[in-house]
Amino acid sequence: MINRTKKITGLIFVLLLLSSPIFAELQSPWLRVDGDSDGVCLWFGGTINTRSVKIAHEILYFASLDGFQTELGPIISLNKGKLDLVPMMGLFLDLRSGDLKYIMPQLYLYSTLDKLYIEAWNLYYIGVADDTRDFPYFYGRYFMQYSINKWLAIGPHMEYIIDIPRHREHELTSMKIGASLGMSYGKKSRLTLFLGVDTKADNHFTARITFVHKL
């Protein structure tokens, strides 16, 4: 099983290398840094325009886990661009062992309605390694921000984790509720701050700071 997983991991990196001519045509690239109780996550992303569809691509590196994640999917724009649906498929690899840990079907929603911005994440982690196969889980993140002025927006935020183990009942293991605060940080940069509590952890304080810069 270990050898098979490592072969899959090697194949993924070969495919990434072979796809480099496509990534060379990446448009609207951006850089993102997240920091929370789980550590620091570095993001790189952008869009790839083909003749028939626009494709979103992202690469993530989780420093505390030494984990690598990549995801790809089409951007489906509705209502004259006011609503974007982005179904994606992601892969999560443990760089320490070289093992592919999860395959991740995902669905993202982004909507801008005048001064209201809405974002929704839906990720299903399907374990494919020996230590993750019996422990899939679902992660959801939803927030909205209302623009008070040109540089400040605020609104509610919620995120949760549902463990879906094969041999016992599903369990809500995390439910974080709080406020999302967005601030302009220059012409091409933005800071977002999440402050809240985890109701499944005795209302323990939780926070995240996000920096996004468009290249």
Side-chain angles (χ1 to χ4, degrees):
M1 178 62 188
I2 293 177
N3 290 333
R4 186 177 67 178
T5 303
K6 292 184 180 295
K7 288 180 181 180
I8 294 174
T9 302
L11 177 61
I12 292 169
F13 280 108
V14 170
L15 290 175
L16 286 174
L17 291 174
L18 293 177
S19 301
S20 58
I22 298 177
F23 296 148
E25 301 300 324
L26 199 71
Q27 299 182 2
S28 304
W30 48 265
L31 166 67
R32 171 172 174 159
V33 182
D34 278 7
D36 57 22
S37 59
D38 293 327
V40 175
C41 178
L42 303 178
W43 301 46
F44 306 89
T47 59
I48 304 165
N49 288 327
T50 68
R51 293 181 180 180
S52 57
V53 67
K54 180 183 290 187
I55 299 173
H57 176 258
E58 298 176 358
I59 294 174
L60 297 79
Y61 174 68
F62 298 88
S64 61
L65 300 175
D66 204 10
F68 170 86
Q69 181 174 318
T70 183
E71 46 202 38
L72 191 73
I75 300 174
I76 303 170
S77 293
L78 305 172
N79 195 19
K80 298 181 179 180
K82 294 182 180 180
L83 172 63
D84 287 337
L85 297 177
V86 188
M88 303 184 80
M89 182 60 71
L91 302 170
F92 184 90
L93 298 90
D94 183 339
L95 296 182
R96 297 171 185 171
S97 63
D99 292 342
L100 175 65
K101 293 291 187 179
Y102 294 98
I103 295 175
M104 301 145 48
Q106 309 165 36
L107 177 62
Y108 297 92
L109 180 151
Y110 307 96
S111 180
T112 302
L113 302 171
D114 194 21
K115 294 184 177 182
L116 187 65
Y117 175 74
I118 301 172
E119 194 166 309
W121 301 17
N122 302 276
L123 297 87
Y124 182 38
Y125 287 75
I126 303 173
V128 293
D130 291 340
D131 58 343
T132 61
R133 186 175 296 104
D134 292 333
F135 303 98
Y137 65 95
F138 181 87
Y139 174 75
R141 181 187 299 185
Y142 315 99
F143 70 89
M144 64 175 62
Q145 294 179 344
Y146 181 81
S147 296
I148 298 175
N149 51 42
K150 292 183 179 180
W151 62 272
L152 180 63
I154 191 169
H157 179 117
M158 178 185 73
E159 58 186 80
Y160 61 90
I161 295 175
I162 301 177
D163 284 346
I164 315 173
R166 294 188 178 184
H167 306 298
R168 63 176 187 267
E169 294 183 356
H170 300 178
E171 181 181 3
L172 180 66
T173 56
S174 176
M175 172 60 79
K176 299 178 180 179
I177 299 175
S180 176
L181 184 68
M183 299 163 282
S184 295
Y185 199 73
K187 293 182 178 180
K188 295 185 178 182
S189 302
R190 189 167 184 82
L191 286 173
T192 299
L193 181 64
F194 165 54
L195 299 172
V197 296
D198 190 342
T199 63
K200 298 295 291 184
D202 296 326
N203 291 324
H204 183 74
F205 174 75
T206 184
R208 179 186 301 108
I209 187 167
T210 298
F211 171 77
V212 179
H213 177 69
K214 296 180 180 179
L215 303 174

